[in-house]
Amino acid sequence: MRILLYNPDNGVTRNFMPHLWMFLLQALTPPGHEVLLIDGNAQPMDEAQIAQYVRDQNIGLVGIGAMTRMIAKAYRIADAIRATGIPVVMGGPHVTELADEALGRDGGPRHADAVALGEADETWPRIVADAERGHLKDIYAPVDAFGQESKPSLKQYPAIPWDKINLAQFNLVPKMAARTLQRIGDGWGTFRIIPMESGRGCPYGCEFCTVTGFFGDSIRFRTNESVVNELLLLKARAKSEGGQIAVFFIDDNFAINIKRTKSLLRDIIAAGAQVHWVAQISANLLRDEELVDLIAASGGKWVFIGMESIDPTNLADVNKGFNKPGEYAAVLERLAARNVYAITSFIFGMDNDTVGVAERTLKEIRTWPAGLPIFGLLTPLPATPLYKRLEAAGRLTRPKHWQEFIPFAMAHTPLKMTIEEAHAEVRAGWAHAYSPEAMAQAVDSLKDKPLGYRINIFIARMCFRGIYFPQMGPLSWLKLIYQNRRTIFSLVKEGFAAWHGRPARTAPDETFDTGVPAA
Ligand code: B12
Ligand code: SF4
């Protein structure tokens, strides 16, 4: 049977990284089937095009995975596919929480023939077998022999054949630039960010988060050996292709068990498996100097930190009191001292937020080492404790906000400001953090570092700005380049001087380190 796994586009940004679930399920598919992957972010298709595609390709089963914010698109695509008579199975966090919605049992239309609840590592082979026999069940739940919910241990993690998978749709280097970039250092014709997990689960239970409910509070890890082997495979692929690969460890809290993280990082270093990597780690775990040393030595370049707020009352409100705003600066300095920088994520519209929260937050950010701040709004995702609290308090203004997804729009009323004021705060956060002046300042603050770090922060900031400000077409990029022309000119001038002054090419970690992940 030919199976299509499809991930809908998020409608806001282009793809910067493939979704892991597709590759994982592909690797877990029993032999004898062919699995095709389409990520709508990389290969946009409308309903008619996808329906035509599944007919042309003689697809026998389509699997669709989606977060809440893409679910409306996912349902539309599923409807179009089901109209051709091909069965659709849906999985992922949204349909796990709201299976009745996907199955049309809540009074709405049916969108899926079957729903895979929770982690599908063990149910997927059963789904494929049932689909082949034409006997799909409505619901597939991961349960043990006694009917109890069971979570995959990850000790038998499948080897994802990264050396063979066609990754053409995920190259981040624009085609036109590939040839020129190949001349800068060794092999910049391709650059891909690959998702990898080393463990699942998080015990912290922050009120707005789906993870503790979905993956559970017991943490499960892959073996160090399996992670190291995957890294080695990717590193070899990058080398053989003359390209670059970076890894995003998608674990929700990569250092949740510090002892184990240190042991993994030591094994990565010992095996020479370093590639540049990004990971999510909560600020409280970055107090450990040895951990930060190992992060840097094993290839860590960016750490995503869910800071959420600089107000301890807000943090306590959402059960994230383990974040201590008073130590954010020290954590970031500790990372920056090892040339590791942070993506700092903030949520506005929290219950103790008042007008001016953006400026108060920016004032703090300006005192920290340069990084990539991002700003969002408190969002009640289905089945989270936050959703239940706001629902009980009658504060949800759009209880089914996912049915009509609007980027950066609140679905409930904050306590100490209006919805419009909260929206304006997020806008102000992005506008000021990514203004040409702020970009120039970020680049300038790294003047003691090799040029590559400044180029890196500048490019990363240009891309991150697109999370909020639509920047998909060439015209918007040209405008952005024009607005930032002074910074670009000074970087190019410096780069030209460095290039001419150098006798030979240097390795990526020396003076011309672009800082962009390299294998
Ligand atoms: C990586 C990641 C991202 C990446 C996404 C890009 C990418 N290419 O992966 C980035 C960093 C960009 C991102 C951004 C956001 N993310 Co995010 N992200 C994650 C994260 C950390 C890992 C996802 C992952 O790969 N997990 C590992 C795989 C193996 O698990 P999985 O995807 O759930 O798949 C398993 C099952 O769900 C199931 N399954 C999944 N799909 C399918 C399909 C079929 C057919 C079947 C049978 C089974 C199945 O089988 C898989 C194997 O068991 C998750 C948290 C988490 N731990 O999952 C949050 C998570 C998915 N993100 C979340 C959110 C909210 C966001 C943002 C909206 C945050 C924000 N406020 O801006 C943005 C939206 C971005 C956008 N524009 O679309 C929420 C989603 C909750 C929800 N109900 O939708 C999660 C769960 C985290 C949370 N805090 O609650 N995210
Ligand atoms: S620490 Fe992160 S993953 Fe864990 S519950 Fe809180 S927000 Fe979710």
Side-chain angles (χ1 to χ4, degrees):
M1 182 169 59
R2 297 192 98 196
I3 302 169
L4 171 67
L5 296 180
Y6 174 81
N7 197 90
D9 60 281
N10 66 47
V12 181
T13 51
R14 286 220 196 287
N15 194 58
F16 80 96
M17 176 173 82
H19 288 263
L20 182 57
W21 71 266
M22 309 172 85
F23 299 96
L24 190 56
L25 295 193
Q26 186 182 38
L28 289 166
T29 304
H33 303 281
E34 189 186 352
V35 184
L36 312 178
L37 310 181
I38 294 187
D39 188 324
N41 294 299
Q43 291 188 53
M45 280 192 191
D46 63 20
E47 288 87 320
Q49 286 166 325
I50 194 104
Q52 188 63 45
Y53 179 87
V54 292
R55 273 195 301 259
D56 291 350
Q57 296 292 324
N58 193 24
I59 301 289
L61 173 69
V62 177
I64 302 182
M67 294 185 207
T68 294
R69 63 190 266 145
M70 290 93 136
I71 203 69
K73 172 81 190 252
Y75 287 155
R76 287 199 301 277
I77 292 284
D79 296 346
I81 294 169
R82 291 182 77 233
T84 68
I86 295 160
V88 170
V89 51
M90 296 186 80
H94 184 86
V95 295
T96 294
E97 308 302 355
L98 298 178
D100 284 354
E101 180 183 86
L103 292 169
R105 292 171 173 179
D106 66 347
R110 182 170 186 148
H111 305 288
D113 294 278
V115 166
L117 301 182
E119 295 170 58
D121 309 50
E122 281 155 17
T123 46
W124 176 243
R126 263 199 284 139
I127 296 171
V128 172
D130 286 357
E132 198 175 23
R133 290 188 299 119
H135 288 305
L136 270 179
K137 296 184 189 63
D138 280 2
I139 292 195
Y140 290 84
V143 288
D144 62 20
F146 307 101
Q148 298 295 313
E149 189 190 1
S150 81
K151 304 260 183 215
S153 83
L154 303 191
K155 288 292 174 219
Q156 306 295 324
Y157 200 80
I160 301 181
W162 289 117
D163 48 340
K164 298 188 192 76
I165 291 175
N166 179 359
L167 292 172
Q169 61 179 316
F170 300 111
N171 187 10
L172 293 179
V173 178
K175 280 193 194 86
M176 278 164 63
R179 203 170 297 163
T180 318
L181 283 173
Q182 252 154 2
R183 296 187 198 142
I184 304 178
D186 290 326
W188 275 95
T190 59
F191 171 42
R192 302 183 182 104
I193 302 182
I194 300 297
M196 187 182 293
E197 58 184 341
S198 84
R200 289 184 197 162
C202 177
Y204 286 172
C206 302
E207 196 194 27
F208 51 81
C209 180
T210 312
V211 171
T212 305
F214 186 89
F215 289 101
D217 53 9
S218 68
I219 307 145
R220 293 149 287 142
F221 296 116
R222 290 170 65 182
T223 61
N224 287 0
E225 193 191 1
S226 122
V227 177
V228 167
N229 286 344
E230 200 170 320
L231 286 169
L232 287 170
L233 206 62
L234 283 168
K235 196 168 175 174
R237 175 166 184 166
K239 195 166 178 213
S240 73
E241 281 183 350
Q244 306 290 332
I245 278 181
V247 162
F248 188 143
F249 283 112
I250 55 88
D251 305 36
D252 289 292
N253 215 332
F254 185 57
I256 189 73
N257 177 333
I258 291 196
K259 201 170 153 213
R260 179 262 172 188
T261 308
K262 285 182 181 173
S263 119
L264 172 62
L265 299 181
R266 283 194 197 101
D267 283 0
I268 291 173
I269 296 164
Q274 293 102 320
V275 299
H276 286 186
W277 58 260
V278 188
Q280 313 184 92
I281 304 180
S282 56
N284 57 322
L285 302 171
L286 292 164
R287 291 173 193 143
D288 189 310
E289 297 276 346
E290 189 190 23
L291 174 70
V292 182
D293 281 340
L294 286 166
I295 288 174
S298 61
K301 288 283 159 194
W302 289 95
V303 176
F304 181 106
I305 306 178
M307 291 187 164
E308 326 303 7
S309 178
I310 54 164
D311 175 355
T313 307
N314 271 334
L315 292 165
D317 280 351
V318 294
N319 200 29
K320 200 155 184 172
F322 58 86
N323 263 9
K324 305 287 177 213
E327 69 175 354
Y328 290 169
V331 161
L332 298 177
E333 299 284 356
R334 193 171 297 126
L335 290 170
R338 277 102 170 160
N339 293 328
V340 180
Y341 294 93
I343 302 162
T344 50
S345 170
F346 296 93
I347 300 176
F348 294 158
M350 291 171 114
D351 280 356
N352 204 38
D353 276 345
T354 52
V355 170
V357 59
E359 187 44 40
R360 289 192 292 279
T361 308
L362 286 163
K363 208 170 145 200
E364 289 283 311
I365 292 174
R366 287 183 199 114
T367 67
W368 299 339
L372 296 167
I374 56 179
F375 309 93
L377 285 157
L378 190 62
T379 306
L381 293 167
T384 54
L386 174 70
Y387 191 96
K388 291 173 193 158
R389 172 166 70 88
L390 295 172
E391 188 178 40
R395 289 175 59 196
L396 294 176
T397 51
R398 294 188 296 132
K400 295 203 171 183
H401 52 91
W402 50 90
Q403 291 186 345
E404 196 203 340
F405 171 68
I406 313 171
F408 296 100
M410 288 199 81
H412 73 278
T413 326
L415 276 187
K416 298 188 176 172
M417 53 181 166
T418 63
I419 288 182
E420 291 68 32
E421 284 167 345
H423 292 176
E425 292 297 331
V426 168
R427 189 172 182 81
W430 283 99
H432 292 139
Y434 291 86
S435 67
E437 297 73 37
M439 302 270 217
Q441 232 167 38
V443 169
D444 200 45
S445 71
L446 293 175
K447 59 177 176 298
D448 300 337
K449 304 277 181 190
L451 173 65
Y453 284 94
R454 269 162 286 149
I455 296 177
N456 180 21
I457 194 100
F458 182 71
I459 294 176
R461 276 184 164 248
M462 296 272 273
C463 296
F464 265 58
R465 186 186 173 279
I467 297 174
Y468 184 84
F469 295 106
Q471 163 174 307
M472 300 258 252
L475 264 183
S476 50
W477 273 95
L478 282 177
K479 196 171 151 204
L480 189 62
I481 288 169
Y482 180 75
Q483 285 167 346
N484 287 281
R485 61 193 179 281
R486 285 202 181 83
T487 309
I488 294 172
F489 181 70
S490 74
L491 287 171
V492 169
K493 205 170 105 188
E494 205 182 324
F496 203 66
W499 195 253
H500 274 260
R502 278 171 352 126
R505 279 178 176 176
T506 49
D509 268 328
E510 294 169 19
T511 49
F512 211 71
D513 180 4
T514 61
V516 178

